[in-house]
Amino acid sequence: MSKTRGSGRRSHRFAAALAVTGLTVLGVAACDSADDEDTPAAAALPWGPCPAAAPGTARDPRLTCAKVKVPLDYGHPDGASIEVGISRLGATDPAKRHGVLLLNPGGPALPGLDTPSAMAPTLPKSVLDGYDLIGFDPRGVGTSTPQSCGLDNLSIAALFPYPAADGSIDANVQAARATAAKCAAKPDLRYFTTANTARDLDRVREALGEAKISYWGQSYGTYLGTVYRALYPARTDRMILEGNVDPAHVWAGEAESWGKGMAERFPDAAAVAAAQNAALGLGATPEEVTRNYLALADRLDRRPAPVPGTPQALSGALLRGVTYALLLHNDTLPVLAQVWKAAADLADGHVTDADGKVLQQVFADSPAAPGVPADNQATVFLALTCGDAEWSHDVGSYAQRTAADRKAWPLSAGMPANIWPCAFWPQPIEKPVAVTTGGARNTLILQNRRDHATPWDSGVGLHRALGDGAAFVGVDNGGHYVYHEGSACADNATVAFLDTGRLPDQDLDCTDVKRP
């Protein structure tokens, strides 16, 4: 397999990771692997220039965009409607075109218009020849009738319920109740669910003039793809699911898996820091680095440290959020070690020039795209995680669960088991879509063994749910993403499936990635 090792997808992923924590967004590299020639299937849509990107970010000028009208409520399809923004990079060889490949970068609630441009540099000519790469902003996100609860805390990271330094969740209960009340004032928000987003994708399929769609979903996008496959099995062509959500654990159970996931991933970063102990002074062994990190996070919980040149103070929760984001890729682990060193210096009150540069880069503002509310991603994140499936409303039970989780998984400090606004959310409009085994054998599951965001157990759970309909590619690697992250074994299986439609005859155990 031949491919260009571009930076687009990696930059996009790093940006997506830090967007989750409300931190800096890096630019997306333009690609030169697609053209604007209309294919017969897509010609009927009014393709035109894409909307303006967020200030300071690049958008591939050859990316074309369109809008597809869909019902707000599929229970009343002739009622109010909303728009879904989609984008396209056309197949580079119409004679070899197989169809469309819809791409979703996850989140939940990440915009996706730029995902084709971010993915294209990582894909070989055979895939670029064979597919129109289709991006989309999911309903409620970005250009797709963007939603807002009017939240004061704009980032998703601000929603993550880290307990107080002493383990108390009283403040979390108050914040969750207040946030849920703000969103309850937006009654249409209850229709912004994964099931309805999957139904939107089928309307997009119709608008594209395709009998079937292929799909590649990352992170949250794996659940979206799984739901689409369950609702529309006859319209699903080739599906790749990467960094996976267990559909049996949506969403409270998935959140509670993060503590174990952090414990499995964190040693990779601690080893990188320990190897630089002479320069960083964070510890000579991974175990020592881990102890020092936990002590630093606790110290910042008790006394946040102002970050020079920004309006922010570095708290223990914010340090954990940055850590979570930079654990998503192996190549950002050295950056993470520098962040830890800078955070330790900041807490000690003597920041060096090098520390200041690291902190300013990480905490730089990331403006929203024109016309998009500042709390847009946080709002739709809540709509999906609270509206897809019902959470426990037993407020008293959360303190006990948080204390147990805090003890079992100290790196995540009890946050995954803590109370979320979902505890005060209205009842979902429908039950989660049933995901069952059987059906066509048309899905490739890509899963890293040390993935802290969607841990190994979640990927195994998805494989169990899909049964013989899927093949499983497990990779002995850390981080949230599998393709184009160092495993030729996984990359070759992915491209072969896209090119031929054939899955591996048996599940693969890829061990060709070197430890960071």
Side-chain angles (χ1 to χ4, degrees):
M1 180 187 69
S2 63
K3 64 187 179 185
T4 302
R5 189 166 179 81
S7 62
R9 188 181 192 226
R10 178 155 301 166
S11 295
H12 180 74
R13 285 173 166 178
F14 190 32
L18 294 178
V20 167
T21 62
L23 307 178
T24 186
V25 175
L26 305 184
V28 176
C31 75
D32 53 12
S33 58
D35 58 32
D36 284 334
E37 181 177 350
D38 278 335
T39 59
L45 274 171
W47 296 102
C50 292
T57 60
R59 177 156 285 161
D60 186 337
R62 289 157 293 185
L63 193 70
T64 56
C65 288
K67 290 286 185 72
V68 177
K69 189 169 289 189
V70 300
L72 170 66
D73 174 9
Y74 279 89
H76 297 88
D78 296 327
S81 64
I82 59 174
E83 290 184 320
V84 173
I86 64 174
S87 62
R88 178 175 64 101
L89 288 176
T92 53
D93 189 342
K96 297 179 180 178
R97 182 181 181 275
H98 172 74
V100 296
L101 178 60
L102 273 68
L103 305 168
N104 180 270
L110 282 175
L113 288 188
D114 291 305
T115 307
S117 296
M119 286 288 292
T122 74
L123 297 170
K125 185 176 186 298
S126 60
V127 174
L128 297 174
D129 283 349
Y131 293 90
D132 293 347
L133 302 184
I134 305 295
F136 60 96
D137 286 348
R139 65 163 46 204
V141 176
T143 62
S144 297
T145 315
Q147 299 298 297
S148 169
C149 289
L151 301 177
D152 297 325
N153 293 322
L154 302 180
S155 72
I156 287 179
L159 300 176
F160 283 19
Y162 284 99
D166 63 357
S168 169
I169 71 165
D170 292 347
N172 303 123
V173 173
Q174 294 177 9
R177 195 188 303 272
T179 297
K182 281 196 171 185
C183 290
K186 306 288 183 179
D188 285 351
L189 200 61
R190 60 201 305 259
Y191 300 108
F192 290 79
T193 64
T194 297
N196 278 341
T197 304
R199 296 175 181 117
D200 294 344
L201 294 190
D202 205 54
R203 293 296 181 101
V204 170
R205 177 197 61 78
E206 289 181 4
L208 292 170
E210 299 289 333
K212 293 185 176 184
I213 61 169
S214 293
Y215 176 91
W216 190 332
Q218 302 156 0
S219 191
Y220 161 80
T222 65
Y223 182 58
L224 175 59
T226 300
V227 170
Y228 182 88
R229 184 182 186 275
L231 290 174
Y232 305 104
R235 300 170 192 170
T236 303
D237 188 3
R238 302 167 188 178
M239 180 166 285
I240 298 171
L241 305 176
E242 177 187 9
N244 297 278
V245 172
D246 184 345
H249 291 162
V250 172
W251 284 106
E254 190 69 27
E256 290 194 31
S257 72
W258 292 345
K260 183 173 183 285
M262 281 292 291
E264 292 169 343
R265 171 59 166 162
F266 193 90
D268 289 343
V272 170
Q276 303 176 63
N277 186 48
L280 301 179
L282 297 172
T285 65
E287 294 76 15
E288 186 179 2
V289 170
T290 302
R291 288 193 298 271
N292 289 337
Y293 171 84
L294 288 170
L296 175 61
D298 180 72
R299 182 180 174 188
L300 291 170
D301 277 338
R302 300 175 188 279
R303 188 175 181 179
V307 180
T310 80
Q312 301 204 54
L314 181 62
S315 64
L318 197 50
L319 177 67
R320 295 183 190 98
V322 176
T323 298
Y324 177 97
L326 294 178
L327 286 173
L328 293 174
H329 294 278
N330 287 334
D331 59 1
T332 55
L333 298 185
V335 179
L336 178 55
Q338 294 288 339
V339 170
W340 290 343
K341 191 262 185 186
D345 289 348
L346 186 67
D348 289 338
H350 54 78
V351 179
T352 67
D353 289 343
D355 292 337
K357 290 178 181 178
V358 169
L359 292 169
Q360 287 182 19
Q361 180 183 5
V362 170
F363 291 95
D365 289 334
S366 53
V372 178
D375 70 332
N376 177 230
Q377 190 190 352
T379 292
V380 183
F381 175 94
L382 288 173
L384 295 167
T385 55
C386 301
D388 280 349
E390 194 161 11
W391 291 55
S392 170
H393 300 288
D394 181 0
V395 175
S397 69
Y398 284 97
Q400 183 178 358
R401 291 165 46 206
T402 299
D405 196 71
R406 187 176 173 87
K407 183 177 180 180
W409 312 113
L411 285 166
S412 54
M415 179 274 292
N418 201 353
I419 194 164
W420 294 68
C422 307
F424 305 102
W425 213 259
Q427 185 175 3
I429 59 173
E430 61 181 307
K431 292 181 179 180
V433 173
V435 176
T436 59
T437 58
R441 183 170 164 80
N442 62 359
T443 301
L444 184 68
I445 298 173
L446 305 177
Q447 182 67 46
N448 280 337
R449 187 164 288 280
R450 300 183 307 284
D451 178 349
H452 62 295
T454 51
W456 175 263
D457 292 347
S458 294
V460 172
L462 175 60
H463 191 204
R464 185 185 308 114
L466 297 184
D468 292 339
F472 187 86
V473 177
V475 182
D476 186 15
N477 196 12
H480 192 32
Y481 303 98
V482 179
Y483 179 76
H484 202 60
E485 294 289 337
S487 173
C489 168
D491 291 358
N492 290 340
T494 302
V495 172
F497 175 52
L498 286 173
D499 285 348
T500 69
R502 293 194 297 271
L503 292 169
D505 293 332
Q506 57 187 9
D507 293 343
L508 300 181
D509 181 17
C510 297
T511 59
D512 57 342
V513 180
K514 293 182 179 180
R515 286 262 183 167

